[in-house]
Amino acid sequence: MTSKSTILDTATFALLDIETTGGNSSWDRITEIGIRFWRAGEIVGEWQTLLNPETRISPFIEQLTGISNDMVAEAPLFEEIADDLETQLKGTVFVAHNARFDYGFIKAEYRRLGRLFSAKVLCTVKLSRRLYPEFRRHNMDALIARHGLAQVQRHRAMGDVSAMLAFFEHARGEKGDERFENAIRELLQCPSIPSHLPPDTLQDLPRGPGVYRFYGEKDVLLYVGKSTNIAQRVASHFSGDHNSARGVRISESLRRVEWTETAGELGALLLELQQIKTLKPMFNRRSRAAKNLVSIGLSENDAGYLQARLVREIEPHRLGDYFGLFRSKRDAQRALSGIMAKNELCNKLLGLEPDHEGACFQRALGRCKGACEGLEHVERYNLRVQIAFHGLRLKTWPWKGPVGIVEEDVRSGRADILVVYNWMHVATLHEEEELHDLSLQGQAVTFDLDSYKLLIRALMDRGSDTGNVREKQPRVIELPPIGEPDVLMP
């Protein structure tokens, strides 16, 4: 009878440490790599090199690591050792202390070369937490002191690798092969999470749709996101693939995760927009509320010609009277300039130059047909204006009153009824009976560009034939008209 093989017998563990010019993989670079290969209780090889980081090493980093600019001046570039390093690490378990740091830097270096790098990653900080939960500190200095490990040259790659290997073998001997192996297997199956989060963070997260929030120190809200699978999406933030400085900063600052479940994707999207605009998380930029939402209105002047004006107060019950939604006056004027140039309309009547006696500037260039001088027939000019602006006309609300959009999550049994009026999300209910007691009279809800676009897609576009699969429209419950046109005004 043969004994069952274990990961400790069959896997090669590449215990790796790097030294760098700083702590951010987006712009800092690696100056040294050290690796010791361990399999079945024995060291089976090692690999080490200094690297030219192609940037200056600061005096602080020189003093911390002992690696000077002179030492790396003639060292190889990362691209020169990239193939060899990839060969050395192929098929191994990538082991590092605070592995997100080392793994993130290695991936960043390969990404600069247009290459991908991935490996099974084992973090010895998390291994220490798993095996020694009674202790609070798990940095390398704490491990050396606590377990009586031999002193090494700290902040040099092979010195830190020696300390990591000493802990690895000490923990195996003290805890026994079975417990040591189980801890490793569990960690290799779990997504890596930032060190300041509780180890079981991902276990509590729901597998359905909703919104999640990342909080930092002193409960500062860092980031709001949405997903159809909260647990999966949050885990993807912790994959170790740091694509941006922002991702690194969020990971380093993160202390707590909160979430709100929804019954479907539309509810999650609307809640995400609402929370980004009202809670103003530090790292969300896209979807921030526009400070000066602007549209364009058309009205006749004394001579009967249609003239454009910028509208800053959007009245949701009059959306059909507006053309376009813009985040700033400049964006609206840029759109007007494009319409003028394409359709040879009058600069003065479009409000692009002051109203003065005589022809507009474009008339002198032959780009206006003379409406500014009364030379173009009023009906002809107005027809051209209506055609030019037709594609920008906002969609009027197609129902007589509010509606309830029903979303249901079959997996959890949850149901949400999203109450929407004039393309504004005004409430979320969970039972159809609640609709009978719902009163929207006097509620103040701000008309919002992002929600308008989102609800247009959800209610109008999803029923259209996309050329592939015809998407199922959501179930809509029509509610009684409110009656007052100024209800739900911003």
Side-chain angles (χ1 to χ4, degrees):
M1 179 177 177
T2 59
S3 60
K4 183 180 178 181
S5 64
T6 70
I7 193 171
L8 296 178
D9 296 325
T10 60
T12 298
F13 294 82
L15 289 90
L16 177 148
D17 186 76
I18 63 173
E19 302 302 327
T20 68
T21 60
N24 192 314
S25 62
S26 295
W27 54 78
D28 290 312
R29 304 295 297 274
I30 298 174
T31 58
E32 186 179 34
I33 303 176
I35 312 172
R36 195 158 282 155
F37 299 93
W38 185 96
R39 184 173 64 244
E42 296 182 0
I43 298 171
V44 293
E46 63 179 52
W47 189 91
Q48 179 183 17
T49 186
L50 288 170
L51 290 174
N52 184 335
E54 302 180 84
T55 187
R56 296 290 295 175
I57 301 174
S58 71
F60 171 77
I61 295 295
E62 277 197 6
Q63 184 175 8
L64 177 68
T65 65
I67 300 174
S68 67
N69 287 289
D70 289 341
M71 290 171 62
V72 299
E74 301 299 324
L77 304 179
F78 184 86
E79 64 181 306
E80 297 177 85
I81 59 93
D83 290 342
D84 189 16
L85 177 61
E86 187 174 39
T87 300
Q88 295 284 343
L89 294 175
K90 186 176 181 179
T92 68
V93 178
F94 184 111
V95 186
H97 205 69
N98 191 17
R100 285 176 59 81
F101 179 86
D102 303 78
Y103 187 54
F105 264 89
I106 296 292
K107 288 176 73 73
E109 292 286 4
Y110 277 104
R111 192 161 52 243
R112 290 187 184 96
L113 302 177
R115 295 165 61 172
L116 297 177
F117 174 82
S118 64
K120 290 184 177 180
V121 179
L122 175 65
C123 178
T124 50
V125 173
K126 292 180 173 59
L127 181 61
S128 178
R129 285 202 184 102
R130 186 67 60 100
L131 295 172
Y132 300 94
E134 67 273 21
F135 296 111
R136 186 173 66 89
R137 294 171 59 83
H138 299 272
N139 60 51
M140 186 57 72
D141 289 327
L143 298 190
I144 291 172
R146 181 159 64 238
H147 301 296
L149 307 179
Q151 293 297 317
V152 297
Q153 187 179 6
R154 293 282 286 114
H155 304 298
R156 286 299 301 268
M158 290 307 288
D160 288 341
V161 165
S162 296
M164 185 165 39
L165 180 57
F167 165 72
F168 200 76
E169 293 180 329
H170 172 85
R172 180 192 181 194
E174 186 169 74
K175 297 299 181 180
D177 280 3
E178 182 176 359
R179 184 173 177 188
F180 188 70
E181 164 128 1
N182 287 340
I184 289 175
R185 287 188 181 278
E186 290 169 4
L187 289 171
L188 290 177
Q189 291 171 359
C190 295
S192 176
I193 63 173
S195 58
H196 295 292
L197 286 181
D200 58 353
T201 295
L202 294 179
Q203 297 175 13
D204 298 330
L205 294 172
R207 268 58 182 172
V211 169
Y212 58 91
R213 295 170 294 279
F214 290 166
Y215 290 88
E217 291 183 345
K218 299 181 180 178
D219 253 11
V220 173
L221 182 60
L222 303 174
Y223 183 79
V224 173
K226 67 86 189 171
S227 178
T228 54
N229 185 322
I230 296 175
Q232 188 178 73
R233 182 69 185 96
V234 171
S236 74
H237 282 277
F238 310 149
S239 66
D241 188 2
H242 296 148
N243 288 319
S244 67
R246 185 183 73 157
V248 174
R249 292 174 63 193
I250 292 175
S251 177
E252 291 175 345
S253 304
L254 187 56
R255 296 295 184 274
R256 183 167 65 87
V257 180
E258 276 189 357
W259 63 91
T260 303
E261 293 184 77
T262 62
E265 184 178 14
L266 179 59
L269 285 164
L270 290 169
L271 181 60
E272 178 196 35
L273 284 174
Q274 183 262 329
Q275 294 196 345
I276 289 173
K277 293 173 195 298
T278 58
L279 303 179
K280 297 179 174 60
M282 184 180 301
F283 290 102
N284 286 92
R285 290 291 179 264
R286 180 188 57 84
S287 304
R288 285 282 181 93
K291 295 181 180 179
N292 300 296
L293 195 61
V294 178
S295 188
I296 299 170
L298 298 175
S299 59
E300 293 183 2
N301 65 8
D302 293 341
Y305 288 98
L306 284 175
Q307 60 183 9
R309 71 187 191 285
L310 299 186
V311 179
R312 299 181 184 277
E313 296 291 335
I314 309 297
E315 300 179 62
H317 64 283
R318 294 182 53 229
L319 291 181
D321 296 334
Y322 303 126
F323 299 85
L325 286 171
F326 308 95
R327 296 186 184 275
S328 68
K329 175 182 176 182
R330 178 180 297 180
D331 289 345
Q333 289 176 328
R334 188 179 296 117
L336 285 170
S337 295
I339 291 172
M340 176 272 297
K342 187 176 181 180
N343 298 277
E344 297 185 333
L345 299 179
C346 176
N347 242 8
K348 285 202 304 182
L349 292 175
L350 291 181
L352 294 173
E353 64 180 73
D355 189 9
H356 53 75
E357 293 293 330
C360 70
F361 179 70
Q362 295 298 317
R363 176 64 174 164
L365 299 176
R367 298 172 184 168
C368 168
K369 296 182 182 296
C372 45
E373 298 179 288
L375 298 179
E376 183 176 4
H377 193 279
V378 171
E379 291 184 0
R380 175 178 171 77
Y381 179 81
N382 288 350
L383 178 61
R384 293 200 304 112
V385 170
Q386 290 169 354
I387 293 172
F389 278 84
H390 176 74
L392 285 178
R393 186 186 292 275
L394 301 187
K395 292 187 182 295
T396 56
W397 183 243
W399 290 278
K400 294 180 180 179
V403 300
I405 305 170
V406 181
E407 288 196 301
E408 297 176 296
D409 184 357
V410 177
R411 179 191 56 81
S412 67
R414 180 187 177 93
D416 287 342
I417 304 173
L418 310 171
V419 181
V420 177
Y421 186 47
N422 284 329
W423 309 114
M424 295 181 294
H425 175 218
V426 296
T428 297
L429 308 177
H430 304 291
E431 301 287 345
E432 291 193 26
E433 290 74 14
E434 297 179 68
L435 293 172
H436 302 304
D437 301 322
L438 178 66
S439 174
L440 303 182
Q441 200 75 26
Q443 287 195 37
V445 181
T446 303
F447 185 80
D448 173 71
L449 172 60
D450 295 305
S451 295
Y452 168 80
K453 291 180 177 179
L454 180 61
L455 289 165
I456 288 287
R457 288 197 302 269
L459 292 173
M460 307 299 288
D461 297 345
R462 289 180 67 177
S464 62
D465 192 345
T466 62
N468 296 307
V469 179
R470 192 177 180 87
E471 293 187 62
K472 182 181 178 182
Q473 273 189 301
R475 183 163 71 94
V476 173
I477 302 172
E478 293 192 48
L479 303 178
I482 292 177
E484 295 292 334
D486 59 344
V487 173
L488 302 177
M489 288 278 289

